[in-house]
Each structure stands twice: as structure tokens, then as C-alpha cells.
Amino acid sequence: MASLIPGYNYDIFISYRQKDNKYDGWVTEFVDNLKRELESMFKDEVTVYSDINPSDYLLETYDVDASLRDKLKCLVFIPVVSRTYCDPKSFAWEHEFRAFVEQASKDQFGLKVKLPNGNVASRVLPVRIHDIDIADIDLCETIIGGVLRGIDFIYKSTGVNRPLRSVEDHPQNNQNKTYYRDQINKVANAIKELISALGPAEENPVKIAKEALNPNSRSRAKVKTPLLAGSIIGLVLIVLGILFLPKLFKSTEQLEKSIAVLPFFNDSPDEENAYFINGLMDEVLNNLQKINDLRVLSRTSTDQYRGAARPTIPEISKKLGVNYIVEGSGQKYGNKFVLRVQLLEGSQDRHLWAESYEQEIDGVEDIIKIQSRIAKAIAEELHAIITPAENQLIEKTPTVNLTAYDFYRRGREEYSKYTSDNREALKKAEYQYNQALNYDSAFALAYIGLAEVYWDRHYWSGYFAENFLDSVLILADIALSFDDDLSDAYSLRGHYYRQTGDSEQALKEYDKAIKLNPNDWQSYWGKGLLYRNNDFVSYIDNLRKAAFLNHGEELPIILRGLGWAYSSAGFLDESVHYIREALKLDGDSVTYYWYLSGFETYRENFDNSVEFLKRAYAIDTNDITLLNKFGFVYLFSGQYDKALPYYKKWYERLKASGRYDINDMHRIGYAFWQNGLKKEADYYFNEQIRYGNRLIELGRAGSNLYYDMAGVYAFRGETAKAYEHLRIFNQKQRMPCFMDWLIKNDPLFNGIRDEPEFQQIARDVEAKYQAEHDRLGKWLKEQGLL
């Protein structure tokens, strides 16, 4: 048989385990139906190889090279991925799947091809007939070198995980909402796209026109005037010019104007002046971030390169995902500083621009002048547009008092040293900011510095207070009263309103911040969190923008946020990809296993879930979130005697840490109750209700809080209150995340589970989940992300 493309023996190779075809001939039927579908899509015959014919089995005793070398020379490889397929000891895995990937990676097209729509796709097109374990997904993705994306033929309902049949008895019960005929069509469409991308393109119209001008092909017209000859020659030259001149003079493809500013080296003889040199770097970075035409990474992205020992510029550029690098060094002697700055094209370590500055410091404007000049010179070198408004922000002098500015810069230096293990840095930063305000009481940036300190110092201690973080809002407002163009002030106000439950106002504040600083990753992150429970598309879109601007220590957190979003919407494969990328960056295996445990719980593979938690706990016995997770998994698997010790230990450690989390008080209560300790159970049930009502009074109650309180009321038999809170939950939560699974399985609602109103609420939650899943899937495809 021949392929549509010369040099290949088959268009499609279908690989599977024989045992997946024994029960009901699923693979045989799939192959037959796919062939029929392909006949309706291709004018020419598409050749499909599968070892359906018993006389053509590729048995272990065959000469593998002789049997497979020719057959695997195909365009598209379709593995039927089941619970048994991902087995390195199996013939299909080792001699078909792995062999094709290795062979295709070396042929003329490569393993991954660019589709006509611009997206990139693998020539491995998995067809999945079971939800498989995370370990098996990892195994597959290790071979293909990317996310395991494919087309699912899975029928999933409570306790059911099997191949989707062409004729189903109860298709409405399939939680995946997929239909066999549609999935067959999707496979055929995917094959069509791949083969179109691989196949020979149609003749270019310009090429045809050029050939038409070939003297050997012209008609022998009797009239050949000089004008006609000249016109033809001119036209030939025009066509040749169109075809070839751009290629001769075309410059390198324009690079994205993405920049990372590396920490400046302090060449001063006195290390005490490091704060000043760091301040120059900070302000150059801040000025560049105000230019909308540039993508500028955050300071935390480049802090890892602070110090003398650095990788090469190309290595840094590649790791940070930017095209340009700014580096510099400076010295400060008394009242004078010298600064040298250069711009490099990252991949080639090629110098594009460099300048040295020597400046006497008579006033703040002398420092600001140099900082703004550097930013504008870099922008000019990259042909970036600076609007009049951006130019005004770049040239603005924040204070005219040099002493106040010096204290402010010292405060920024101390604040940059703050970690959970170095809270003393907050006190030092606070002192410096207050000193700055003693010299200039209208210094807006110093108020912002104080607001950031207060946020970090008082977040947990004031969580249940009526005036929670009010000092932060007051300080941000004071700053804006002196300078209403401070993006950091609007960003802080956004954080405040998000935490206090005013999402609409928070969104307005974040948008103001981004307008003033289009490279403000924290505002994109904050916006994303606002959408976490009501709009997956906006949530993921904003988190992706945050990740695009921050390649520092916060990036793994952002990636895990993306992983959470994908998993909550039912895209578990994509979720695993993001949490694995986070693991590569920070090596946090504990959090990685924590997520994998959650996925297995959602699939009701409770033994696997516990196994992942045990792996995590073996690494870090101090992580109290693992104790909570153990309790949850054991509780939902009905092992109440095992759940209680973990919940108790979690709560004890939580109190000792000075934090208070009411999210699982009702779970602890239920665990006590099931172990016969009703007095203790009532205590935790009451805590859930008491603190829940407090947050409702403060206007900071999320939809899930109403759900948790409803669970307590339902368990206690207070049906009216249970439904009152469930209705509010149902109204507030547009995007129910894992709630579609939780509400079906939550034992706290067993007493009302069969009642019509509860059943309707459960259906509403499932419908919302499915609608959001479908909407996100459509958006992801439009963006080329799925």
C-alpha cells in the first residue's frame, strides 16, 4: 500500500494492546468507522495500518525490524491509550510507540509539524479509551516530549471508566458529554489537518504567472512591437523583483521587544553604597516597565543573577525568554556617581548600545535625569514608541528632597531582603520610610513603601478584624492624594478590595494600575484571582500574562495557579503539564505530589491519592496542608478512623502557627462525629458557623463558605438554613470548579441528598461546570492552547 505522500508506506498506523480488543472488539469497530469517515474527507484513498488481521499479528517472536520498519514509515501514528497500553514491557509500547517517535523525530518532517492555522501539532495522535493514572500520563509525555493531548473515547460516570461505545444505553449519564460519532469525526479532522500540513502545497499563483512569462511557452504572435517586448520585460522584472528582491534585502525577522534588566554590579569601594546602585537599576527597570511597547520582566525575575557569578548572556536570555538584556555597573564616591549601562541582543550576546554617565548629585533631579535618559535611549535603540503620557511618567521627579529620597532608597533595599525568615527587614524598611516622610511629608512613594510593610506585617493578625488592612488603604489613598499616577498605589488598592470582598472595585483599581504600568505582573495576578470562581477564561488569561512578565521565584506559584485552573475546569492533562513545569523550576516535590493526590481524589482513586500524600509527607513532615489533605481523602473514602488523627494534628499545628483557617472546621466536626465524639464534633461545627457568620457580616464571604455552612446545617437537620445557604452558594458561584464532584459525594448532605430541591441544585452546579468547561475549551482552541 502507498501513502498520499511519496516515500511513506502508510498514512496512518494504529497501535494498541491486543487485550483492549478482546472484550467487545472495540478497536476493530473504531478502525472500520474511522476508515469510513476518512473516505468522506479525502479525494484519494487514505491507507490505514492496524494489526486487526490475525495473520498479520506482530508477535514477540517476529523480527521486529523486518516487521515494523516499513509499516512505521507513516504520516500519523494513533496509539489507543488504555490502562494497559502504557507499559514499557509491552510490545506495542516499545516496538511501535517508542519506535515511531524515534523514527519520526529524524525524518524529513519531524515529530511536530506546523498546521495551516499556525498551531503546532504532534504526528502522534492519541485516542484515549480510559482515564489513566498520572504516572502513566507522565510516562507517555516523557516519550512524546510534551503534553498528552488527544481525542477521548471515554464513558465516565460514578464508578465507571470504560471505552465509549458507538451505541450507548444511557448516553445522558456520560459525565464527559461526548458522543462516539462526534469523536470519530474529530479524529478524522485532526488527521486531515496533519496530512494537509505535511502534503505538497498547491502551486503558487505567482509561480504560475512567472512561468507564463517564459519565452519558450509564449504563443507565436506575429505582431511583436518594441512596446510589447518592453512591457513583457518590465513585467518579468517586476515579478522577479517581487519574488526575489525582498529575500535578498530582507533583514532578520523583527524580534519581540522583550527585556530583562540584570542587577547592576556595585563597583564602589564601599559596600554601603550597594543600595544606591541597586536603586539606579530599580528605577531604570521601573521606567522601562511604563512603556507599553516593551515587555519588561519584573525585578524578581533577575534577582537570581545578583552577584559576580552569572551564566552567559545567551543562557540568561534563553532561560528568561527575552530577546534583550540590560546590564550595568556603577560606583558612588561621596556626592558623585559613575554608571555604565549596555543593551545586548540576548541570543548572540551582541552589543547594541552602551553609554557611560558621570554625575554630580546636587539634587534628586540629577539622579532622575540619568535614569530617564537610559530608559529612553534603550527604547529608541529598540524602536519602541514612547507616548507623551509615558514620557511624562518617566521624567517625573518623586520628591525634591535629596535626603528623603536617600532614606526611601534605603527602605526599598531593606524591604527587598524580607522573607518569612527575615521579618526584621520589615522593621528596618518601616524605619527608613518614616525617616523619608520626616523630611518630605508629601513623598507619595514612601507612603506606598509603608503600605507594603503593613500588609506583610499585619495580614494574618488582623484577618478577622473589622478594620482588616485599613491602614494599607489609608496609606495608598494618602499617596494618591499627592501623586495620582502611581501604579503601585492602585495595585495595592486592588489587593485590598479583593481581600475585603469588593471584586468590582478591585477590578477597577487593577485596570488603573495596568494602564500606568502595562508590565505590572502583580496586577495581572490579582485580576486573575478575582476571576478564579466566576470566569476561567479571564482567570487563565490574566495568569498567563502574569507568567509572561515574571520569571522569578513567584513563577512556580503562577504556574500552579494555572494548573489549578485547568484541573478545576476538567483539563487534567494540561494541569499536570503546568504543575510539572513548576516542579522543574523550584523542585518542590511536596506540592507536586499534593496536586497529583488531588487529581486522584477527583477520579475517586483514593489509594493512589493516599500514596502521593505519603510520598510528599516523607519529604516534609512539617507541611500542615498535607495533614489536612490526608484527613480529606480518608474521610471521603469512608475511613473515618484514619481521617480523625490527621485532622486533629492539622488543627493543632495551625493554631500553633498563629493562623486560623475555618475552611475545614465542618470536616473535622464530621470526623469526630463518625468516631463517636459528638461533643467535640459540635465544637467544630459551631466554629464553622460562628466564623462563617463573622465573615458574612464583614462582607468577605465567598460562595464556598456558604456551601460549607450549608453542610453543617444539613447534617444537623436544619434543612431550611441548609437550603438558604445552598441557594446563595448556587447564585454566587458561576464556575463551580470541583464542586460538581463534591456536591454529589459530600457525606454532610446525605440527609437531604434525595430531596428534589437538592437534586436540582446539584444539577445546576453540574450544568454550570459543563458550560464553563465548554467555554474554556473553545477559547483555548481559539488561542492555540489546546
Side-chain angles (χ1 to χ4, degrees), residues 163-180:
L164 181 68
R165 297 191 299 251
S166 57
V167 179
E168 289 289 349
D169 298 328
H170 304 286
Q172 70 281 1
N173 294 339
N174 182 9
Q175 294 175 1
N176 290 333
K177 304 298 181 186
T178 50
Y179 297 94
Y180 185 91

Side-chain angles (χ1 to χ4, degrees), residues 504-548:
E504 185 176 345
Q505 186 60 38
L507 188 60
K508 292 178 181 178
E509 301 296 336
Y510 285 135
D511 284 339
K512 290 177 184 176
I514 291 169
K515 183 177 181 181
L516 292 166
N517 179 1
N519 289 282
D520 180 5
W521 78 268
Q522 291 196 60
S523 289
Y524 284 118
W525 169 256
K527 279 185 71 174
L529 294 181
L530 283 174
Y531 291 116
R532 178 170 175 162
N533 289 321
N534 58 26
D535 185 344
F536 272 132
V537 169
S538 296
Y539 179 38
I540 289 177
D541 187 34
N542 281 284
L543 258 61
R544 282 176 57 80
K545 291 175 180 175
F548 209 44

Side-chain angles (χ1 to χ4, degrees), residues 8 59 108 173 175 222 273 280 309-310 321 342 376 410 447 488 494 512 533 541 636 714 756 778:
Y8 289 83
L59 302 176
Q108 60 176 315
N173 294 339
Q175 294 175 1
K222 292 182 179 179
N273 290 323
L280 293 174
R310 287 178 180 172
Q342 59 181 341
K376 289 193 281 188
R410 291 175 185 269
Y447 286 108
D488 287 346
K512 290 177 184 176
N533 289 321
D541 187 34
F636 272 80
K778 180 181 178 182

